Amino acid sequence: LGAGQSIQKTYDLTRYLEHQLRTLAGTYLNYLGPPFNEPDFNPPRLARAEQVPSATVDLDLWRGLTDNARLAANYRAYSRLLCYLRGLDGQAGTAELRHRLGHFCSSLQGLVVSIAGVMSSLGYPLPAGPAGPPLPPGAPAAPNDFLKKMDDFWLLKELQTWLWRSAKDFNRLKKKVPPAVVTLRLEARGF
Amino acid sequence: AQRHSQQDSHIQYERVGADVTMKCGSMDWDAAVTWTANGTDIDDSHLNGSYLILKNVDLTQSGQYSCYEGSSWHLKYQTYLRVGTPPKEPVLMCRSNNYPKGFYCSWHLPSPTYIPNSFNISVIHGTREMVCEKDIFPKNRCHIRYLQLFLTVKYKVTLTVTNALGKNSTSLTFDEFAIVKPDPPESVVAKPVPNNPRRLEVAWQNPSSWPDPESFPLKFFLRYRPLILDQWQHVELLDGTSHTITDAYAGKEYIIQVAAKDNDIGTWSDWSVAVHATPWTEEPKHLTTEAQVTETTSASTSYFVPPPTTKICDWWAVRP
């Protein structure tokens, strides 16, 4: 698969996941119950939530990212988000919700693999140690149920935002990496 | 007698339907006075002693009220009465038509208050208050510049409207992505394709307000229909800013519009300005007499043949 097709496939998977997450997150937030499922719920972001990789970025910085840095940021983020999400799906109340979370985790794993595929097709090394511990050492588990739910809320929110960002990232990459050019470059290096 | 006015008048606001009592400055209740409204004397039926009583005031009673001392005609009191209403909950709308530059908020009152109102808008993002820069035009509008992108924390915009008779407010909470809505596509052009009686070429441009179509590509929705039908046909276009309609009814004038949306987030723009076009039709040939006769008999029985691919309407409905 050329880099161009690989990027297109990754973009399509991102859009699929974004669509899937929209309904899944709605169901999960309903499972968490009020206030988490209220549209105007707009809690302050607690320090705990900072552990989840944030998609927020300065606009000019984002524009100026090299392709390698752009892909590496995505790869690291989803690797870590996947860890957290797996922590989620073990305790979700209903069997049906656990099943849907499990299915989503598998799809997200597919995205991580897909991003890795794009990176290797472009000749970029994978970032070392993608996953890292589910919680950084020394960070306590949520002391109470409400804070546990708050963690879940921010995880889903961050994941949704990452998927929006990735769609833009891969849009940008699609434009910058036309399939033909890349194939020539690979041959020139004697691959 | 000459009326002396040295009292500086002030503005008095009253609600529609209120009962208003005006005292003649420091004059006693039983002093002889004359009241005027916009220079016209008010008859005594509205007076209670030297007090002016206005029952169940309405908008037409706004105006300048003056009270003169009976004998010296000295102006003892003057006010400008403004009859109005307290503000209703304002209508607030925030939208990003130039993503990722920022967003603007605009507002209006659902009904007039007939008296001056002042608006105050606050934009809170997480724990930070952001400055919403007022636009010179249009009046009730301000805009916010994004410093960062892909934020998970929502924006909360609160608009408060105040006038002399009351105060009201409304607020919106939204994600960065939810309010992305481009302006309609611009410079829409449609033209026939020579020698192709079933085709129309449509082209347009990205809305000029959309700053970075490269990084934030738009997709488009085209709708078209012959003027003689009500049912639109639609086609979604993932990229590019042109399209060739290939199933047009021969010889029928078409109305065509385009809408735009960010490829991944937000909502569709409004429809563009409508353009009209008629597919190419063959020039009538120069006929000899015999040819003319055959031509005339067949003309009255010519049928309008809808394209085979027509699914959406009964072809018989369009027969002449």
Side-chain angles (χ1 to χ4, degrees), chain A residues 133-148:
Chain A
L135 280 175
N144 58 53
D145 187 51
F146 182 81
L147 285 181
K148 170 71 184 71

Side-chain angles (χ1 to χ4, degrees), chain B residues 223-227 229 232 253-257 274-277:
Chain B
R223 73 176 183 182
Y224 57 98
R225 66 175 169 85
L227 284 183
L229 291 183
W232 292 95
E253 182 182 2
Y254 269 73
I255 178 169
I256 298 145
Q257 289 179 292
V275 294
H276 291 242

Side-chain angles (χ1 to χ4, degrees), chain A residues 19-82:
Chain A
H19 188 71
Q20 289 292 318
L21 184 61
R22 233 179 284 166
T23 50
L24 176 59
T27 309
Y28 193 84
L29 293 179
N30 282 333
Y31 156 67
L32 294 182
F36 300 96
N37 58 353
E38 286 155 9
D40 282 0
F41 182 53
N42 191 25
R45 208 176 155 135
L46 307 177
R48 308 178 47 77
E50 300 307 334
Q51 294 148 29
V52 178
S54 171
T56 301
V57 61
D58 178 81
L59 174 55
D60 294 331
L61 187 89
W62 178 77
R63 277 208 179 99
L65 285 174
T66 64
D67 297 348
N68 184 11
R70 192 178 300 280
L71 286 161
N74 275 266
Y75 184 85
R76 274 194 218 93
Y78 288 115
S79 303
R80 187 163 207 127
L81 289 164
L82 185 54

Side-chain angles (χ1 to χ4, degrees), chain B residues 191-201 244-246 248 250-251 278-284:
Chain B
K191 55 186 168 133
V193 179
N195 303 311
N196 277 279
R198 304 285 315 281
R199 291 182 173 232
L200 287 169
E201 271 179 5
T244 301
I245 295 169
T246 55
T278 304
W280 172 88
T281 50
E282 199 156 0
E283 288 303 319

Side-chain angles (χ1 to χ4, degrees), chain A residues 11 39 45 57 157 168 172, chain B residues 149 152 154 175 215 262 264:
Chain A
Y11 169 80
R45 208 176 155 135
V57 61
K157 189 82 194 205
K168 297 305 174 193
R172 213 173 157 80
Chain B
L149 277 195
T152 46
K154 295 183 187 215
D175 272 315
S215 298
D262 177 274
D264 311 300

